[in-house]
């Protein structure tokens, strides 16, 4: 399950959008991330080729099992790390930004240790 940070961000965004929207489209992702639709289209093609998403003929984007697994992992890391940093006294905006960077590079072992320590 080796994917780059950009792919992880796209998958996480699809997951988050799917929680509040009945369907997710490229335009929704572009709007959420502040990217050009053309950039998102290229990324969606790459994710589709890696079987992390499916796209219907109507343009609706769905996570596959592998895509959901990655998105869930990144989302959990983001939520836990940002809330932990906030509890440590870090400003919420900074905590969220730092969590977004940390979530992509932290090892599974270190994340599990932090998670165990927090809970």
């Amino acid at each position: 399950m080796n994917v780059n940070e950009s792919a992880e961000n796209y998958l996480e965004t699809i997951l988050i959008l799917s929680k509040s929207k009945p369907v997710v489209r490229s335009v929704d992702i572009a709007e959420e991330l502040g990217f050009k639709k053309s950039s998102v289209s290229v990324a969606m093609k790459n994710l589709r080729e890696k079987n992390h998403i499916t796209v219907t003929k109507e343009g609706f984007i769905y996570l596959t099992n592998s895509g959901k697994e990655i998105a869930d992992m990144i989302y959990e890391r983001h939520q836990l790390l940002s809330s932990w940093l906030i509890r440590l006294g870090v400003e919420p905006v900074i905590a969220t930004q730092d969590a977004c960077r940390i979530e992509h590079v932290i090892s599974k072992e270190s994340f599990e240790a932090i998670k165990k320590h927090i809970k």
Side-chain angles (χ1 to χ4, degrees):
M1 192 178 12
N2 190 12
V3 293
N4 64 28
E5 182 177 333
S6 175
E8 289 175 346
N9 281 333
Y10 278 110
L11 293 170
E12 181 184 25
T13 300
I14 295 166
L15 176 70
I16 291 167
L17 288 172
S18 71
K19 292 176 185 284
S20 63
K21 294 183 173 287
V23 293
V24 177
R25 300 164 301 147
S26 289
V27 67
D28 301 318
I29 298 166
E31 190 176 290
E32 180 72 17
L33 295 174
F35 294 164
K36 292 181 181 176
K37 190 171 178 317
S38 57
S39 299
V40 174
S41 293
V42 169
M44 293 306 104
K45 179 179 181 265
N46 291 333
L47 290 173
R48 195 172 57 249
E49 288 173 352
K50 292 181 175 146
N51 296 315
H52 294 314
I53 63 167
T54 59
V55 182
T56 67
K57 63 183 179 195
E58 296 87 4
F60 303 154
I61 300 166
Y62 297 96
L63 295 170
T64 62
N65 289 337
S66 67
K68 182 151 178 18
E69 187 178 331
I70 295 164
D72 284 340
M73 175 194 68
I74 294 299
Y75 186 68
E76 178 191 24
R77 288 177 176 195
H78 184 88
Q79 294 297 104
L80 188 127
L81 292 168
S82 58
S83 66
W84 181 50
L85 291 169
I86 290 167
R87 283 193 310 247
L88 290 174
V90 178
E91 293 275 335
V93 171
I94 302 293
T96 301
Q97 291 170 348
D98 287 347
C100 194
R101 287 191 286 275
I102 295 167
E103 70 195 23
H104 300 287
V105 296
I106 192 169
S107 70
K108 183 176 182 172
E109 181 181 355
S110 293
F111 179 72
E112 291 300 321
I114 291 170
K115 190 162 90 170
K116 183 179 175 185
H117 175 76
I118 291 171
K119 296 180 179 194

